[in-house]
């Protein structure tokens, strides 16, 4: 019965709003109620007449600049406010409703209907109840009206009065952040997060910090992610979400055992508090047992349509047969060439009929279109035809596609990327067996193998670091001109593994040909500092200061203003953008090295 009443109430309120908007005068509205109100309640006009004055009193009127014109509730012996002519005690006061009438309902319905300038003016009036903004924004988002949802929710989170927010506003806040991200409004997103973290209510501050931490993780800025996590821990010390975020953060930092230990700590702590349901506790227990596998399973289950084909792809890659021999030829003493065979071309043609997306050869890693628009089709076809992976071009497409979507998630590398890397390993060994020549990018079909290797090195850098470094070092042997910039990747990995002497030997074996790449210079300085070669480290700082005068200042500062990349995402050598990029990637290593940041600050 209650569900029927709610349906009748909403139907009548919508009809009443349309009637009110005719001329926004109460007598005319009541004329409509007496003529049509009973239609919404199975012919019973008494409920409609009793509801009408209540709905009128909460309706925003455009002629009054969106104020309402509330009616005073009559005394028992006064004329009823429904204009029936009877006393209130003999009329509407006798009607009982199954539930209270939500006080914000007519505002919510108005916000659903208004468009353009009227909606904008209503929101700017500041008179809409917070609950009505919340409900109207959620309804718009659920119906796919992201523009309207954004406009309404921006009024809810405008910062004018945080105390008015209902606690149910948390999902709406996350929806607004998602809309900003989807639409590319990064500045608005950042400003909203900053505003909430500075002045917002505690229940939103924790969400904002969690989102900020995840944003930094997506951008590989581990130092900022760690700082955001610490702030989130202070704001919401018992939030189960923090267990999930800390596990992700530690896996990004390469500390799998510590991730397992911390997940176990969170599990035991939250079990004692007794505030979580069985499903949440099961997740934390699985996280403590195997953080990487648990996060991978969670991601797969969240992928909706992609979950089944992704799991089938994992099974296929786990059972790959040995890679076939490729056609490598030596040209002169210095050059090696890979040539696509007729069979490999045929396999690639069959694959491409399903994949349908071309590699963008003008950039190192990327496609001309998005391969994930058609992912269910090509993953299913590949699982039906595993022989396609005998073609390096197919392996290239798959490596690029998987890295683009999952390369920033360490827990996905073992099942999706490492099997592909093992296949490429075998092909690179075949190349080395042919001769000592250089596998140059522009020769024959070499770019296919080199692009595949770069994608896999990048994709495995967080989740399979040793394999990533092994593959990068192997590629440096066959591509000594280092046209892919792998030297910098290997250097970063060695420093993260505290292999400082190996890092310096790597730089000695691959002396730059006039290059002054910032991360190579900083890498040399950090390795010398860790090995207590302070004079050599100081000499490198002199080179860094000459090369980029912003770099030492930005790296050593605690909370510098972020530097946004250019429109194309490129940074110029010697610029603040280049300095910020290095800070984002490697400051966590300087912070983790005792005394290193203080030493930099003293130099500055």
């Amino acid at each position: 019965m209650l569900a029927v009443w709610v349906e009748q109430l909403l139907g009548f309120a919508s009809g009443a709003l349309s009637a009110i908007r005719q001329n926004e005068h109460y007598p005319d509205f009541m004329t409509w109620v007496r003529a049509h109100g009973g239609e919404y309640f199975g012919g019973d006009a008494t409920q409609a007449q009793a509801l009408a004055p209540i709905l009128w009193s909460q309706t925003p009127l455009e002629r009054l600049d969106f104020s309402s014109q509330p009616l005073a509730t009559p005394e028992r012996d006064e004329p009823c406010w429904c204009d029936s002519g009877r006393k209130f005690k003999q009329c509407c006061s006798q009607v009982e409703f199954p539930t209270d009438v939500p006080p914000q309902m007519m505002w919510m319905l108005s916000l659903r209907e208004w468009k353009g300038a009227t909606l904008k003016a209503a929101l700017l009036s500041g008179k809409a109840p917070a609950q009505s903004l919340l409900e109207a924004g959620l309804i718009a988002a659920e119906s796919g009206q992201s523009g309207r949802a954004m406009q309404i929710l921006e009024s809810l989170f405008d910062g004018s009065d945080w105390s008015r927010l209902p606690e149910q506003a948390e999902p709406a806040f996350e929806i607004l952040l998602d809309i900003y991200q989807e639409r590319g409004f990064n500045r608005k997103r950042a400003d909203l997060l900053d505003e909430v973290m500075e002045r917002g209510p505690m229940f939103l501050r924790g969400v904002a910090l969690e989102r900020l931490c995840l944003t930094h993780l997506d951008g590989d800025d581990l130092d900022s992610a760690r700082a955001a996590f610490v702030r989130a821990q202070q704001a919401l010390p018992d939030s189960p979400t923090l267990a999930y975020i800390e596990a992700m953060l530690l896996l990004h930092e390469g500390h799998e055992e510590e991730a397992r230990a911390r997940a176990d700590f969170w599990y035991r702590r939250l079990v004692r508090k007794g505030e979580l349901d069985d499903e949440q506790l099961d997740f934390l227990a699985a996280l403590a047992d195997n953080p990487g596998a648990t996060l991978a399973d969670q991601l797969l289950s969240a992928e909706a349509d992609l979950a089944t084909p992704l799991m089938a792809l994992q099974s296929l890659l786990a059972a790959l047969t040995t890679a076939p021999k490729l056609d490598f030829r030596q040209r002169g003493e210095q050059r090696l060439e890979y040539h696509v065979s007729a069979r490999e071309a045929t396999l690639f043609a069959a694959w491409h009929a399903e994949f349908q997306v071309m590699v963008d050869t003008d950039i190192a890693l990327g496609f001309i279109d998005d391969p994930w628009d058609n992912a269910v089709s090509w993953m299913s076809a590949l699982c039906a035809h595993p022989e396609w992976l005998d073609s390096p071009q197919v392996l290239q497409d798959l490596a690029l596609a998987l890295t683009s979507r999952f390369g920033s998630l360490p827990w996905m590398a073992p099942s999706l990327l490492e099997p592909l890397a093992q296949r490429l390993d075998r092909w690179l060994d075949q190349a080395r067996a042919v001769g000592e020549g250089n596998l140059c990018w522009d020769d024959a079909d070499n770019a296919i193998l080199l692009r595949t290797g770069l994608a896999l090195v990048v994709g495995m850098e967080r989740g399979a670091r040793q394999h990533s470094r092994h593959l990068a070092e192997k590629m440096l042997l066959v591509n000594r001109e280092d046209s892919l910039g792998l030297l910098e990747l290997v250097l970063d990995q060695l420093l993260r593994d505290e292999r400082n002497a190996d890092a310096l030997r790597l730089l000695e074996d691959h002396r730059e040909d006039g290059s002054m790449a910032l991360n190579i210079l900083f890498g040399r300085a950090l390795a010398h500092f860790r090995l207590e070669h302070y004079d050599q480290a100081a000499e490198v700082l002199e080179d860094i200061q000459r090369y980029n005068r912003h770099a030492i200042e930005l790296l050593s500062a605690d909370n510098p203003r972020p530097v946004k990349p250019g429109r194309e995402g490129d940074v110029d050598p010697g610029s603040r953008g280049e300095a910020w990029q290095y800070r984002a990637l490697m400051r966590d290593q300087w912070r983790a090295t005792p005394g290193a940041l203080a030493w930099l600050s003293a130099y500055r």
Side-chain angles (χ1 to χ4, degrees):
M1 290 296 294
L2 185 59
V4 173
W5 152 253
V6 170
E7 185 176 348
Q8 290 175 335
L9 174 61
L10 285 173
F12 175 66
S14 297
L17 186 61
S18 296
I20 291 171
R21 292 285 177 247
Q22 295 298 315
N23 58 21
E24 296 189 343
H25 285 87
Y26 183 67
D28 293 332
F29 168 53
M30 288 307 303
T31 299
W32 175 86
V33 172
R34 284 190 288 273
H36 302 285
E39 298 170 7
Y40 295 89
F41 297 95
D44 182 6
T46 57
Q47 289 208 343
Q49 290 187 191
L51 275 171
I54 299 172
L55 298 183
W56 168 269
S57 295
Q58 62 170 258
T59 302
L61 303 175
E62 294 180 52
R63 64 180 174 84
L64 297 180
D65 295 326
F66 306 101
S67 292
S68 58
Q69 198 175 49
L71 304 171
T73 304
E75 297 294 335
R76 284 176 49 79
D77 289 320
E78 289 182 341
C80 188
W81 57 355
C82 74
D83 290 348
S84 65
R86 289 177 289 175
K87 291 182 179 181
F88 183 58
K89 67 182 181 182
Q90 299 168 336
C91 193
C92 290
S93 69
Q94 296 182 351
V95 179
E96 294 184 0
F97 306 125
T99 64
D100 292 334
V101 178
Q104 76 284 348
M105 184 165 62
M106 297 303 275
W107 252 107
M108 183 272 290
L109 292 174
S110 296
L111 291 171
R112 285 179 58 185
E113 293 185 3
W114 280 326
K115 299 177 182 178
T118 305
L119 176 60
K120 182 178 180 181
L123 295 173
L124 288 174
S125 73
K127 297 173 183 177
Q131 189 67 31
S132 69
L133 292 168
L134 173 63
E135 293 174 7
L138 290 175
I139 290 170
E142 289 169 1
S143 61
Q145 298 174 292
S146 58
R148 173 181 285 269
M150 183 178 77
Q151 192 176 3
I152 294 171
L153 293 178
E154 282 178 336
S155 294
L156 178 63
F157 299 107
D158 64 0
S160 58
D161 182 8
W162 290 111
S163 65
R164 71 186 182 128
L165 282 183
E167 289 220 8
Q168 304 93 326
E170 182 179 320
F173 176 64
E174 297 200 68
I175 285 172
L176 182 56
L177 292 174
D178 288 340
I179 292 173
Y180 281 155
Q181 185 166 336
E182 290 167 6
R183 294 187 152 215
F185 294 139
N186 297 324
R187 183 71 264 163
K188 282 190 171 186
R189 188 176 187 274
D191 288 345
L192 178 59
L193 286 170
D194 289 343
E195 175 71 16
V196 168
M197 286 188 292
E198 290 297 324
R199 287 173 285 277
M202 190 59 69
F203 73 93
L204 282 189
R205 201 174 299 175
V207 176
L209 286 165
E210 290 168 2
R211 279 302 191 100
L212 189 61
C213 184
L214 293 174
T215 298
H216 289 316
L217 284 179
D218 287 342
D220 254 354
D221 187 350
L222 301 186
D223 195 67
S224 297
R226 171 62 65 180
F229 172 76
V230 171
R231 292 175 65 188
Q233 206 171 10
Q234 294 166 347
L236 289 175
D238 296 319
S239 170
T241 307
L242 293 179
Y244 165 73
I245 291 177
E246 186 172 26
M248 288 196 294
L249 179 57
L250 288 167
L251 289 174
H252 273 271
E253 292 172 339
H255 307 311
E256 186 170 355
E257 287 305 315
E258 188 178 350
R260 182 178 284 107
R262 288 295 297 169
D264 183 61
F265 159 79
W266 281 104
Y267 174 73
R268 288 183 283 105
R269 174 176 176 171
L270 295 172
V271 164
R272 285 196 300 270
K273 292 188 72 68
E275 297 175 356
L276 301 185
D277 59 35
D278 290 343
E279 186 176 348
Q280 290 173 308
L281 289 175
D282 288 344
F283 174 75
L284 289 179
L287 200 63
D289 180 58
N290 192 328
T294 301
L295 291 174
D297 288 344
Q298 187 196 47
L299 183 142
L300 288 175
S301 64
E303 286 287 351
D305 294 344
L306 293 180
T308 299
L310 272 172
M311 287 187 282
L313 180 61
Q314 285 179 316
S315 299
L316 166 66
L317 297 179
L320 272 183
T321 57
T322 303
K325 288 200 67 173
L326 301 184
D327 180 9
F328 287 104
R329 306 171 193 174
Q330 184 158 10
R331 181 160 60 86
E333 294 183 0
Q334 301 298 321
R335 312 299 274 261
L336 284 174
E337 295 180 346
Y338 157 63
H339 293 267
V340 173
S341 71
R343 176 176 181 267
E344 291 158 11
T346 301
L347 293 173
F348 175 72
W351 152 262
H352 187 70
E354 296 290 342
F355 192 66
Q356 300 177 0
V357 177
M358 296 295 296
V359 168
D360 188 344
T361 57
D362 291 333
I363 59 178
L365 300 176
F367 295 100
I368 294 175
D369 297 307
D370 184 2
W372 291 96
D373 291 341
N374 187 39
V376 173
S377 175
W378 59 254
M379 277 194 286
S380 301
L382 181 60
C383 289
H385 299 280
E387 70 277 7
W388 289 350
L389 285 170
D390 287 351
S391 162
Q393 276 182 284
V394 175
L395 196 77
Q396 170 190 250
D397 285 354
L398 187 59
L400 285 171
L402 293 175
T403 293
S404 70
R405 192 174 184 101
F406 303 114
S408 62
L409 307 175
W411 43 93
M412 299 305 292
S415 63
L416 292 178
L417 298 177
E418 282 201 278
L420 303 183
Q422 290 165 0
R423 205 164 188 77
L424 183 64
D425 275 338
R426 179 172 170 81
W427 284 335
L428 293 179
D429 288 341
Q430 291 175 17
R432 295 292 297 163
V434 170
E436 295 295 319
N438 197 17
L439 205 65
C440 298
W441 182 277
D442 293 324
D443 290 351
D445 298 312
N446 293 352
I448 295 170
L449 297 176
L450 296 176
R451 187 181 286 109
T452 303
L454 179 60
L456 292 170
V457 168
V458 171
M460 297 190 301
E461 187 178 5
R462 297 291 186 204
R465 182 170 296 147
Q466 289 188 347
H467 199 160
S468 175
R469 186 178 66 244
H470 166 78
L471 179 58
E473 290 172 344
K474 183 175 287 190
M475 291 184 65
L476 280 172
L477 289 175
V478 298
N479 181 240
R480 289 190 298 275
E481 63 185 14
D482 191 22
S483 56
L484 307 177
L486 290 174
L487 177 64
E488 299 173 22
L489 287 171
V490 174
L491 173 63
D492 291 351
Q493 291 169 345
L494 289 171
L495 291 172
R496 288 187 180 279
D497 290 342
E498 293 281 352
R499 293 175 56 184
N500 303 300
D502 290 339
L504 291 177
R505 277 193 292 272
L506 174 74
L507 294 176
E508 191 65 27
D509 292 341
H510 297 272
R511 286 188 173 276
E512 314 95 299
D513 50 356
S515 170
M516 294 283 282
L518 186 61
N519 55 344
I520 290 178
L521 291 171
F522 264 128
R524 181 180 281 115
L526 181 58
H528 277 307
F529 180 85
R530 286 174 171 177
L531 294 169
E532 300 182 3
H533 305 161
Y534 299 123
D535 290 342
Q536 294 98 316
E539 290 176 7
V540 180
L541 289 191
E542 295 287 342
D543 292 335
I544 292 171
Q545 189 66 11
R546 284 190 292 270
Y547 174 72
N548 188 319
R549 62 186 179 86
H550 312 287
I552 296 174
E553 175 188 357
L554 272 180
L555 183 60
S556 58
D558 287 333
N559 292 296
R561 181 181 295 276
V563 180
K564 301 297 181 184
R567 181 171 297 180
E568 301 299 324
D570 297 329
V571 294
D572 296 324
S575 67
R576 286 182 65 84
E578 182 192 35
W580 179 264
Q581 186 179 73
Y582 179 78
R583 175 193 166 92
L585 291 174
M586 290 297 289
R587 190 176 190 271
D588 65 305
Q589 289 301 299
W590 285 84
R591 178 174 46 78
T593 304
L597 288 177
W599 174 67
L600 282 178
S601 296
Y603 176 86
R604 186 181 61 173

mmCIF file with all atom_site columns, all heavy atoms in Angstrom, residues 355-369:
data_model
loop_
_atom_site.group_PDB
_atom_site.id
_atom_site.type_symbol
_atom_site.label_atom_id
_atom_site.label_alt_id
_atom_site.label_comp_id
_atom_site.label_asym_id
_atom_site.label_entity_id
_atom_site.label_seq_id
_atom_site.pdbx_PDB_ins_code
_atom_site.Cartn_x
_atom_site.Cartn_y
_atom_site.Cartn_z
_atom_site.occupancy
_atom_site.B_iso_or_equiv
_atom_site.pdbx_formal_charge
_atom_site.auth_seq_id
_atom_site.auth_comp_id
_atom_site.auth_asym_id
_atom_site.auth_atom_id
_atom_site.pdbx_PDB_model_num
ATOM 1   N N   . PHE A 1 355 ? 40.049 -6.467 -34.613 1.00 0.00 ? 355 PHE A N   1
ATOM 2   C CA  . PHE A 1 355 ? 40.596 -5.386 -33.777 1.00 0.00 ? 355 PHE A CA  1
ATOM 3   C C   . PHE A 1 355 ? 40.247 -4.010 -34.348 1.00 0.00 ? 355 PHE A C   1
ATOM 4   O O   . PHE A 1 355 ? 39.852 -3.101 -33.611 1.00 0.00 ? 355 PHE A O   1
ATOM 5   C CB  . PHE A 1 355 ? 42.097 -5.566 -33.660 1.00 0.00 ? 355 PHE A CB  1
ATOM 6   C CG  . PHE A 1 355 ? 42.746 -4.712 -32.615 1.00 0.00 ? 355 PHE A CG  1
ATOM 7   C CD1 . PHE A 1 355 ? 42.466 -4.899 -31.272 1.00 0.00 ? 355 PHE A CD1 1
ATOM 8   C CD2 . PHE A 1 355 ? 43.659 -3.722 -32.975 1.00 0.00 ? 355 PHE A CD2 1
ATOM 9   C CE1 . PHE A 1 355 ? 43.071 -4.120 -30.302 1.00 0.00 ? 355 PHE A CE1 1
ATOM 10  C CE2 . PHE A 1 355 ? 44.274 -2.947 -32.013 1.00 0.00 ? 355 PHE A CE2 1
ATOM 11  C CZ  . PHE A 1 355 ? 43.978 -3.145 -30.670 1.00 0.00 ? 355 PHE A CZ  1
ATOM 12  N N   . GLN A 1 356 ? 40.459 -3.829 -35.638 1.00 0.00 ? 356 GLN A N   1
ATOM 13  C CA  . GLN A 1 356 ? 39.981 -2.673 -36.413 1.00 0.00 ? 356 GLN A CA  1
ATOM 14  C C   . GLN A 1 356 ? 40.654 -1.342 -36.099 1.00 0.00 ? 356 GLN A C   1
ATOM 15  O O   . GLN A 1 356 ? 40.265 -0.316 -36.653 1.00 0.00 ? 356 GLN A O   1
ATOM 16  C CB  . GLN A 1 356 ? 38.459 -2.498 -36.242 1.00 0.00 ? 356 GLN A CB  1
ATOM 17  C CG  . GLN A 1 356 ? 37.643 -3.698 -36.701 1.00 0.00 ? 356 GLN A CG  1
ATOM 18  C CD  . GLN A 1 356 ? 36.162 -3.533 -36.463 1.00 0.00 ? 356 GLN A CD  1
ATOM 19  O OE1 . GLN A 1 356 ? 35.708 -2.501 -35.945 1.00 0.00 ? 356 GLN A OE1 1
ATOM 20  N NE2 . GLN A 1 356 ? 35.380 -4.534 -36.815 1.00 0.00 ? 356 GLN A NE2 1
ATOM 21  N N   . VAL A 1 357 ? 41.645 -1.322 -35.245 1.00 0.00 ? 357 VAL A N   1
ATOM 22  C CA  . VAL A 1 357 ? 42.283 -0.069 -34.844 1.00 0.00 ? 357 VAL A CA  1
ATOM 23  C C   . VAL A 1 357 ? 43.752 -0.107 -35.262 1.00 0.00 ? 357 VAL A C   1
ATOM 24  O O   . VAL A 1 357 ? 44.429 -1.121 -35.070 1.00 0.00 ? 357 VAL A O   1
ATOM 25  C CB  . VAL A 1 357 ? 42.160 0.160  -33.327 1.00 0.00 ? 357 VAL A CB  1
ATOM 26  C CG1 . VAL A 1 357 ? 42.890 1.431  -32.916 1.00 0.00 ? 357 VAL A CG1 1
ATOM 27  C CG2 . VAL A 1 357 ? 40.693 0.238  -32.924 1.00 0.00 ? 357 VAL A CG2 1
ATOM 28  N N   . MET A 1 358 ? 44.238 1.002  -35.809 1.00 0.00 ? 358 MET A N   1
ATOM 29  C CA  . MET A 1 358 ? 45.620 1.073  -36.278 1.00 0.00 ? 358 MET A CA  1
ATOM 30  C C   . MET A 1 358 ? 46.518 1.727  -35.232 1.00 0.00 ? 358 MET A C   1
ATOM 31  O O   . MET A 1 358 ? 46.119 2.660  -34.527 1.00 0.00 ? 358 MET A O   1
ATOM 32  C CB  . MET A 1 358 ? 45.696 1.894  -37.571 1.00 0.00 ? 358 MET A CB  1
ATOM 33  C CG  . MET A 1 358 ? 44.958 1.276  -38.749 1.00 0.00 ? 358 MET A CG  1
ATOM 34  S SD  . MET A 1 358 ? 45.672 -0.297 -39.275 1.00 0.00 ? 358 MET A SD  1
ATOM 35  C CE  . MET A 1 358 ? 47.293 0.251  -39.828 1.00 0.00 ? 358 MET A CE  1
ATOM 36  N N   . VAL A 1 359 ? 47.756 1.227  -35.151 1.00 0.00 ? 359 VAL A N   1
ATOM 37  C CA  . VAL A 1 359 ? 48.765 1.866  -34.304 1.00 0.00 ? 359 VAL A CA  1
ATOM 38  C C   . VAL A 1 359 ? 49.107 3.234  -34.886 1.00 0.00 ? 359 VAL A C   1
ATOM 39  O O   . VAL A 1 359 ? 49.214 3.391  -36.108 1.00 0.00 ? 359 VAL A O   1
ATOM 40  C CB  . VAL A 1 359 ? 50.021 0.978  -34.224 1.00 0.00 ? 359 VAL A CB  1
ATOM 41  C CG1 . VAL A 1 359 ? 51.190 1.735  -33.600 1.00 0.00 ? 359 VAL A CG1 1
ATOM 42  C CG2 . VAL A 1 359 ? 49.725 -0.288 -33.452 1.00 0.00 ? 359 VAL A CG2 1
ATOM 43  N N   . ASP A 1 360 ? 49.254 4.215  -34.012 1.00 0.00 ? 360 ASP A N   1
ATOM 44  C CA  . ASP A 1 360 ? 49.672 5.548  -34.447 1.00 0.00 ? 360 ASP A CA  1
ATOM 45  C C   . ASP A 1 360 ? 51.198 5.560  -34.516 1.00 0.00 ? 360 ASP A C   1
ATOM 46  O O   . ASP A 1 360 ? 51.882 5.615  -33.485 1.00 0.00 ? 360 ASP A O   1
ATOM 47  C CB  . ASP A 1 360 ? 49.172 6.605  -33.458 1.00 0.00 ? 360 ASP A CB  1
ATOM 48  C CG  . ASP A 1 360 ? 49.413 8.027  -33.955 1.00 0.00 ? 360 ASP A CG  1
ATOM 49  O OD1 . ASP A 1 360 ? 50.214 8.199  -34.898 1.00 0.00 ? 360 ASP A OD1 1
ATOM 50  O OD2 . ASP A 1 360 ? 48.814 8.961  -33.399 1.00 0.00 ? 360 ASP A OD2 1
ATOM 51  N N   . THR A 1 361 ? 51.737 5.480  -35.700 1.00 0.00 ? 361 THR A N   1
ATOM 52  C CA  . THR A 1 361 ? 53.189 5.373  -35.866 1.00 0.00 ? 361 THR A CA  1
ATOM 53  C C   . THR A 1 361 ? 53.918 6.691  -35.627 1.00 0.00 ? 361 THR A C   1
ATOM 54  O O   . THR A 1 361 ? 55.145 6.723  -35.615 1.00 0.00 ? 361 THR A O   1
ATOM 55  C CB  . THR A 1 361 ? 53.525 4.859  -37.281 1.00 0.00 ? 361 THR A CB  1
ATOM 56  O OG1 . THR A 1 361 ? 52.931 5.735  -38.254 1.00 0.00 ? 361 THR A OG1 1
ATOM 57  C CG2 . THR A 1 361 ? 52.986 3.445  -37.476 1.00 0.00 ? 361 THR A CG2 1
ATOM 58  N N   . ASP A 1 362 ? 53.171 7.775  -35.420 1.00 0.00 ? 362 ASP A N   1
ATOM 59  C CA  . ASP A 1 362 ? 53.814 9.072  -35.175 1.00 0.00 ? 362 ASP A CA  1
ATOM 60  C C   . ASP A 1 362 ? 54.172 9.269  -33.708 1.00 0.00 ? 362 ASP A C   1
ATOM 61  O O   . ASP A 1 362 ? 54.849 10.243 -33.350 1.00 0.00 ? 362 ASP A O   1
ATOM 62  C CB  . ASP A 1 362 ? 52.894 10.216 -35.618 1.00 0.00 ? 362 ASP A CB  1
ATOM 63  C CG  . ASP A 1 362 ? 52.730 10.268 -37.128 1.00 0.00 ? 362 ASP A CG  1
ATOM 64  O OD1 . ASP A 1 362 ? 53.655 9.813  -37.831 1.00 0.00 ? 362 ASP A OD1 1
ATOM 65  O OD2 . ASP A 1 362 ? 51.689 10.744 -37.607 1.00 0.00 ? 362 ASP A OD2 1
ATOM 66  N N   . ILE A 1 363 ? 53.698 8.386  -32.831 1.00 0.00 ? 363 ILE A N   1
ATOM 67  C CA  . ILE A 1 363 ? 54.026 8.480  -31.416 1.00 0.00 ? 363 ILE A CA  1
ATOM 68  C C   . ILE A 1 363 ? 54.567 7.138  -30.954 1.00 0.00 ? 363 ILE A C   1
ATOM 69  O O   . ILE A 1 363 ? 54.414 6.117  -31.627 1.00 0.00 ? 363 ILE A O   1
ATOM 70  C CB  . ILE A 1 363 ? 52.800 8.885  -30.563 1.00 0.00 ? 363 ILE A CB  1
ATOM 71  C CG1 . ILE A 1 363 ? 51.659 7.870  -30.730 1.00 0.00 ? 363 ILE A CG1 1
ATOM 72  C CG2 . ILE A 1 363 ? 52.331 10.280 -30.932 1.00 0.00 ? 363 ILE A CG2 1
ATOM 73  C CD1 . ILE A 1 363 ? 50.439 8.182  -29.873 1.00 0.00 ? 363 ILE A CD1 1
ATOM 74  N N   . ALA A 1 364 ? 55.209 7.126  -29.785 1.00 0.00 ? 364 ALA A N   1
ATOM 75  C CA  . ALA A 1 364 ? 55.845 5.893  -29.312 1.00 0.00 ? 364 ALA A CA  1
ATOM 76  C C   . ALA A 1 364 ? 54.820 4.832  -28.952 1.00 0.00 ? 364 ALA A C   1
ATOM 77  O O   . ALA A 1 364 ? 54.952 3.665  -29.328 1.00 0.00 ? 364 ALA A O   1
ATOM 78  C CB  . ALA A 1 364 ? 56.736 6.207  -28.112 1.00 0.00 ? 364 ALA A CB  1
ATOM 79  N N   . LEU A 1 365 ? 53.799 5.209  -28.197 1.00 0.00 ? 365 LEU A N   1
ATOM 80  C CA  . LEU A 1 365 ? 52.807 4.250  -27.707 1.00 0.00 ? 365 LEU A CA  1
ATOM 81  C C   . LEU A 1 365 ? 51.414 4.817  -27.881 1.00 0.00 ? 365 LEU A C   1
ATOM 82  O O   . LEU A 1 365 ? 51.045 5.781  -27.194 1.00 0.00 ? 365 LEU A O   1
ATOM 83  C CB  . LEU A 1 365 ? 53.041 3.935  -26.212 1.00 0.00 ? 365 LEU A CB  1
ATOM 84  C CG  . LEU A 1 365 ? 54.380 3.332  -25.809 1.00 0.00 ? 365 LEU A CG  1
ATOM 85  C CD1 . LEU A 1 365 ? 54.465 3.193  -24.297 1.00 0.00 ? 365 LEU A CD1 1
ATOM 86  C CD2 . LEU A 1 365 ? 54.589 1.993  -26.480 1.00 0.00 ? 365 LEU A CD2 1
ATOM 87  N N   . GLY A 1 366 ? 50.626 4.242  -28.774 1.00 0.00 ? 366 GLY A N   1
ATOM 88  C CA  . GLY A 1 366 ? 49.264 4.729  -28.915 1.00 0.00 ? 366 GLY A CA  1
ATOM 89  C C   . GLY A 1 366 ? 48.616 4.273  -30.200 1.00 0.00 ? 366 GLY A C   1
ATOM 90  O O   . GLY A 1 366 ? 49.270 3.744  -31.112 1.00 0.00 ? 366 GLY A O   1
ATOM 91  N N   . PHE A 1 367 ? 47.287 4.459  -30.239 1.00 0.00 ? 367 PHE A N   1
ATOM 92  C CA  . PHE A 1 367 ? 46.483 4.095  -31.402 1.00 0.00 ? 367 PHE A CA  1
ATOM 93  C C   . PHE A 1 367 ? 45.835 5.333  -31.994 1.00 0.00 ? 367 PHE A C   1
ATOM 94  O O   . PHE A 1 367 ? 45.707 6.368  -31.332 1.00 0.00 ? 367 PHE A O   1
ATOM 95  C CB  . PHE A 1 367 ? 45.379 3.112  -30.986 1.00 0.00 ? 367 PHE A CB  1
ATOM 96  C CG  . PHE A 1 367 ? 45.882 1.780  -30.511 1.00 0.00 ? 367 PHE A CG  1
ATOM 97  C CD1 . PHE A 1 367 ? 45.969 1.501  -29.157 1.00 0.00 ? 367 PHE A CD1 1
ATOM 98  C CD2 . PHE A 1 367 ? 46.257 0.795  -31.414 1.00 0.00 ? 367 PHE A CD2 1
ATOM 99  C CE1 . PHE A 1 367 ? 46.425 0.270  -28.705 1.00 0.00 ? 367 PHE A CE1 1
ATOM 100 C CE2 . PHE A 1 367 ? 46.715 -0.438 -30.977 1.00 0.00 ? 367 PHE A CE2 1
ATOM 101 C CZ  . PHE A 1 367 ? 46.807 -0.698 -29.622 1.00 0.00 ? 367 PHE A CZ  1
ATOM 102 N N   . ILE A 1 368 ? 45.392 5.205  -33.223 1.00 0.00 ? 368 ILE A N   1
ATOM 103 C CA  . ILE A 1 368 ? 44.669 6.307  -33.859 1.00 0.00 ? 368 ILE A CA  1
ATOM 104 C C   . ILE A 1 368 ? 43.266 6.420  -33.265 1.00 0.00 ? 368 ILE A C   1
ATOM 105 O O   . ILE A 1 368 ? 42.750 7.515  -33.061 1.00 0.00 ? 368 ILE A O   1
ATOM 106 C CB  . ILE A 1 368 ? 44.610 6.097  -35.387 1.00 0.00 ? 368 ILE A CB  1
ATOM 107 C CG1 . ILE A 1 368 ? 46.032 6.203  -35.974 1.00 0.00 ? 368 ILE A CG1 1
ATOM 108 C CG2 . ILE A 1 368 ? 43.680 7.096  -36.050 1.00 0.00 ? 368 ILE A CG2 1
ATOM 109 C CD1 . ILE A 1 368 ? 46.122 5.895  -37.450 1.00 0.00 ? 368 ILE A CD1 1
ATOM 110 N N   . ASP A 1 369 ? 42.639 5.283  -32.966 1.00 0.00 ? 369 ASP A N   1
ATOM 111 C CA  . ASP A 1 369 ? 41.327 5.266  -32.313 1.00 0.00 ? 369 ASP A CA  1
ATOM 112 C C   . ASP A 1 369 ? 41.412 4.441  -31.030 1.00 0.00 ? 369 ASP A C   1
ATOM 113 O O   . ASP A 1 369 ? 42.452 3.862  -30.716 1.00 0.00 ? 369 ASP A O   1
ATOM 114 C CB  . ASP A 1 369 ? 40.260 4.679  -33.255 1.00 0.00 ? 369 ASP A CB  1
ATOM 115 C CG  . ASP A 1 369 ? 40.065 5.519  -34.506 1.00 0.00 ? 369 ASP A CG  1
ATOM 116 O OD1 . ASP A 1 369 ? 39.824 6.734  -34.356 1.00 0.00 ? 369 ASP A OD1 1
ATOM 117 O OD2 . ASP A 1 369 ? 40.174 4.967  -35.619 1.00 0.00 ? 369 ASP A OD2 1
#
